């Protein structure tokens, strides 16, 4: 089997920098200035290394430089470079550690077209990358390695390992998966409006696919407010709470009388907004200096708690937190159909610490114990 690989090296840059996305050179430059480090190449390398272990006979074709070749080299996987992007495209680290990023949508589309003869095309990125792949009209099936900020489309595996396992077992059977994306400028202002752009053919491995994000429209009125009351009632005086993005955590802010940042991470203490819309770096500094708890909601339809839209909760931040409070309506948990909650921080040790069961707040004085695991475990 021939597997193609395309990497969007700037995917995910805006997450830790609290920019809610990575589209556009200006946003990418801001993210780098705020200390963000490109991770898409690492996640692609992790997928390739796992694929090679599972199926050593797979032949890998890819793109020169940061758009694939670097990941294949890092994974120690034999590969063939069949396409070279336009001059200057890619992500390069200077002697001083600065990263210059020049890759754009046109580079992704050209790479997909060049790899059209592969039996399966892996692409590492987020929803914007999925749109670029869709626009390129790939001839064969594709599969996303999640490396973006949001990853709301259904064409992604739940993790790099899940992508590898799916590719290794691929027998040609496919299904259609949706490609959705948000207007990032509107998203940064707190207006969430996912648009369906089309479908891509992906391997028929539903348990390893993220699935499209869904909302909480089935929850009874007042469910979020009931959960918020419980969270506020349980807050310990003098300790800080980092509230992740989501409608339920916004309800916690309203219960405290605070106007929180839509879709950002805000830190509160004793009913006062301590730090609004924090970056990963700021959150780590706060967690180092005082007792801090994370308050995170579950992404509907996918089950993710960490690693989708809240990359401020990095492995080093998770290591410093006093604990995590997970929020979800009973309807959102029921919609998972027994599938576990997922963690994908990018660090195996940090993810493994969540293995087992966690308490999920579902209402005032109501909670359930629910299974949670690393997204890189076999589902």
């Amino acid at each position: 089997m021939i597997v193609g690989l395309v990497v969007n090296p700037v995917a995910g840059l805006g997450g830790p920098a609290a920019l809610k996305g990575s589209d556009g050179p200006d946003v990418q430059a801001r993210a780098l200035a705020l200390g963000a480090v490109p991770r898409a190449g690492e996640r692609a390398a992790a997928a390739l290394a796992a694929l090679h272990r599972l199926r050593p006979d797979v032949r890998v074709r890819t793109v020169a430089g940061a758009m694939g070749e670097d990941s294949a080299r890092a994974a120690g996987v034999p590969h063939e470079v069949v396409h070279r992007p336009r001059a200057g495209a890619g992500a390069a680290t200077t002697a001083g550690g600065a990263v210059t990023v020049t890759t754009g949508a046109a580079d992704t589309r050209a790479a997909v077209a060049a790899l059209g003869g592969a039996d399966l095309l892996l692409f590492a990125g987020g929803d914007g990358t999925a749109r670029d792949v869709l626009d390129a009209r790939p001839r064969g099936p594709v599969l996303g390695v999640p490396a973006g900020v949001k990853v709301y489309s259904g064409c992604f595996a739940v993790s790099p390992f899940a992508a590898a396992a799916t590719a290794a077992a691929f027998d040609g059977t496919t299904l259609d998966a949706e490609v959705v994306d948000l207007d990032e400028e509107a998203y940064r202002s707190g207006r969430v409006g996912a648009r369906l752009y089309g479908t891509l053919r992906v391997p028929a491995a539903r348990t390893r696919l993220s699935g499209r994000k869904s909302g909480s429209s089935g929850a009874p009125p007042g469910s979020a407010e009931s959960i918020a009351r419980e969270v506020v009632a349980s807050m310990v005086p003098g300790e800080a709470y980092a509230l992740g993005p989501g409608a339920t955590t916004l309800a916690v802010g309203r219960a405290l009388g605070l106007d929180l940042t839509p879709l950002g991470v805000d830190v509160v203490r004793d009913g006062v907004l301590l730090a609004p819309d924090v970056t990963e770096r700021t959150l780590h500094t706060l967690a180092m200096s005082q007792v801090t708890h994370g308050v995170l909601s579950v992404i509907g339809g996918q089950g993710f708690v960490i690693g989708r839209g809240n990359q401020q909760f990095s492995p080093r931040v998770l290591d410093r937190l006093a604990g995590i409070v997970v929020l979800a309506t009973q309807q959102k948990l029921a919609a998972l159909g027994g599938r576990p909650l997922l963690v994908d921080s990018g660090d195996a040790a940090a993810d493994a610490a969540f293995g087992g069961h966690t308490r999920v707040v579902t209402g005032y004085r109501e909670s359930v114990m629910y299974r949670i695991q690393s997204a890189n475990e076999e589902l």
Side-chain angles (χ1 to χ4, degrees):
M1 185 171 71
I2 298 173
V3 170
L5 173 69
V6 177
V7 177
N8 176 3
V10 300
L13 271 179
L19 298 177
K20 289 83 177 174
S22 308
D23 290 351
D26 292 342
V27 172
Q28 294 155 15
R30 287 173 59 197
L32 292 168
L34 289 168
V37 177
R39 300 293 187 196
E42 293 180 12
R43 293 176 71 81
L48 280 188
L51 174 58
H52 188 60
R53 290 193 302 270
L54 294 168
R55 190 165 173 177
D57 62 317
V58 166
R59 295 168 56 192
V60 176
R61 293 178 180 173
T62 189
V63 185
M67 293 191 68
E69 179 185 16
D70 294 349
S71 297
R73 288 183 182 277
V77 174
H79 58 280
E80 177 187 3
V81 174
V82 299
H83 175 69
R84 295 189 177 277
R86 61 186 173 83
T93 304
T94 67
V99 180
T100 302
V101 181
T102 56
T103 303
D107 299 304
T108 300
R109 292 193 293 267
V112 171
L115 291 167
D119 296 306
L120 176 65
L121 175 67
L122 299 179
F123 67 93
D127 292 322
T129 311
R131 283 180 57 188
D132 297 336
V133 172
L134 177 68
D135 290 343
R137 299 189 178 186
R139 284 180 278 168
V142 305
L143 180 64
V145 178
V149 176
K150 304 175 294 298
V151 194
Y152 287 170
S153 299
C155 55
F156 288 91
V158 297
S159 68
F161 177 79
T166 300
F170 182 50
D171 62 1
T173 307
T174 64
L175 55 81
D176 288 337
E178 296 172 321
V179 175
V180 300
D181 200 6
L182 306 178
D183 180 332
E184 287 195 359
E185 286 303 318
Y187 187 74
R188 293 183 183 102
S189 301
R191 302 191 305 276
V192 181
R195 175 183 170 188
L196 173 63
Y197 283 86
T199 60
L200 288 167
R201 282 193 296 137
V202 300
R206 291 190 184 278
T207 59
R208 297 192 184 114
L209 297 177
S210 290
R212 180 180 174 182
K213 178 188 180 299
S214 62
S216 303
S217 57
S223 297
E225 287 70 22
S226 177
I227 293 172
R229 285 177 59 204
E230 174 62 18
V231 173
V232 172
S234 303
M235 286 182 168
V236 179
E239 297 185 0
Y241 292 80
L243 305 175
T248 311
T249 48
L250 282 178
V252 175
R254 291 194 298 271
L256 291 168
L258 301 175
D259 187 15
L260 300 185
T261 307
L263 305 170
V265 176
D266 297 294
V267 182
V268 303
R269 185 182 62 198
D270 295 329
V272 176
L273 184 59
L274 186 64
D277 202 14
V278 296
T279 64
E280 185 274 344
R281 181 182 292 176
T282 299
L283 183 55
H284 181 253
T285 299
L286 289 169
M288 289 283 288
S289 64
Q290 59 195 287
V291 177
T292 305
H293 306 261
V295 181
L296 298 168
S297 59
V298 175
I299 293 183
Q302 296 185 340
F304 278 96
V305 176
I306 292 170
R308 299 294 184 268
N310 57 13
Q311 283 85 358
Q312 295 92 323
F313 291 89
S314 67
R316 67 171 186 166
V317 168
L318 295 172
D319 184 58
R320 298 300 308 181
L321 292 180
I324 293 288
V325 181
V326 180
L327 317 178
T329 64
Q330 294 179 1
Q331 292 71 22
K332 186 177 287 186
L333 292 180
L336 292 176
R339 288 179 288 121
L341 302 180
L342 299 174
V343 178
D344 184 18
S345 71
D347 181 86
D351 293 351
F354 287 89
H357 288 77
T358 189
R359 174 176 174 263
V360 180
V361 178
T362 58
Y364 183 63
R365 298 291 187 259
E366 293 180 357
S367 65
V368 299
M369 295 301 295
Y370 199 93
R371 186 160 59 103
I372 188 169
Q373 69 180 48
S374 166
N376 276 302
E377 291 184 30
E378 185 65 21
L379 297 176

